[in-house]
Amino acid sequence: MRALKMNGTGNAFLLVDAREQAFAVTPGGVRNLAEVYAFDQLLVLEPSEQAAARYRIWNRDGGEVGACGNGARCAGWYLTQQSGTDTALLDTAYGLTEARRTGDFRISVDLGPALTRWQDIPLAREMDTVALDYALESGGIRLSQPGAVSMGNPHIVFNVPELEGLPVEVLGPMAETDPLFPQGVNAGFMQIRDRSLIRLRVWERGAGLTKACGTGAAAAIVAGHRKGLLDRQCRVAVDGGELAIDWREDNHVWLEGPVELEGEVTL
């Protein structure tokens, strides 16, 4: 079966179009493919009666997840290329969502509404999601009171004074497996440069430290705005480049940025 190696601002994917030929996915199979093709997530497009494709995501550890923003941008780019149009509708776990071409290799996608109730994250117990009563400590570093947001997947976001040199590889796994987060959590570490620009690194549950996380970028802006620190429209500098976030008044968050086609493989 044909598959595409792609990335969205450095976030690495293997994209499989299974709309005409079924593609069986197992956790072990995903892990094996990840070893060969070095991706963060496996993206599979399946038939949909409501949209151009049903969009499904597996992390490199073999677990299926409900949302991946940069993956949706890559899937949207592929579908617009196939149809010769500037828009494509995706059938996702969080509902129908639109992808829009904004340049030759640039795509914007509607990530849906930002969810901020503690039950929606979800958390194991009731807590103020603007600033959780929660902290991480390691090697003399203590980070506390992260914001919590669900973008179809759970996120917490810590404000940090300086991101470079922060041991995200140590702190991230501590949060990912904490009992406070029954479905695990994506841990974001955000340095605010001004009200419309942040630097961000995200430890993704089931994938580890990635060069970009689209839903993580969205969650960071929502969390920062709820604390009164950021505007609703922001640029997000990640290890793989730059993303743009627009948290609109209808509560939907749009993610925009570049995609790259790295090549085609046969599975």
Side-chain angles (χ1 to χ4, degrees), residues 76 80 86-88 98-103 106-110 248 254 256:
T80 58
D86 289 332
T87 62
E98 183 181 5
R100 299 177 182 172
R101 183 194 299 271
T102 57
R106 296 190 70 88
I107 289 284
S108 177
V109 67
D110 178 5
R248 300 186 179 180
W254 284 76
E256 196 272 346

Side-chain angles (χ1 to χ4, degrees), residues 124-199:
R125 60 185 182 274
E126 184 174 357
M127 201 176 289
D128 178 8
T129 61
V130 173
L132 297 185
D133 182 16
Y134 177 75
L136 291 177
E137 295 187 62
S138 178
I141 295 171
R142 187 177 193 274
L143 304 177
S144 64
Q145 296 189 310
V149 182
S150 172
M151 292 304 312
N153 53 2
H155 289 268
I156 56 171
V157 184
F158 291 93
N159 295 356
V160 301
E162 178 57 55
L163 185 55
E164 303 311 318
L166 188 74
V168 173
E169 299 90 339
V170 175
L171 297 167
M174 294 168 61
E176 178 185 4
T177 57
D178 193 288
L180 179 61
F181 311 106
Q183 295 180 10
V185 77
N186 300 284
F189 302 87
M190 169 176 68
Q191 179 183 349
I192 297 176
R193 292 181 171 167
D194 60 45
R195 291 192 62 87
S196 61
L197 175 64
I198 69 168
R199 174 80 171 93

Side-chain angles (χ1 to χ4, degrees), residues 230-241:
L230 295 174
D231 296 335
R232 297 180 77 101
Q233 294 182 333
C234 284
R235 293 178 296 132
V236 180
V238 295
D239 289 349

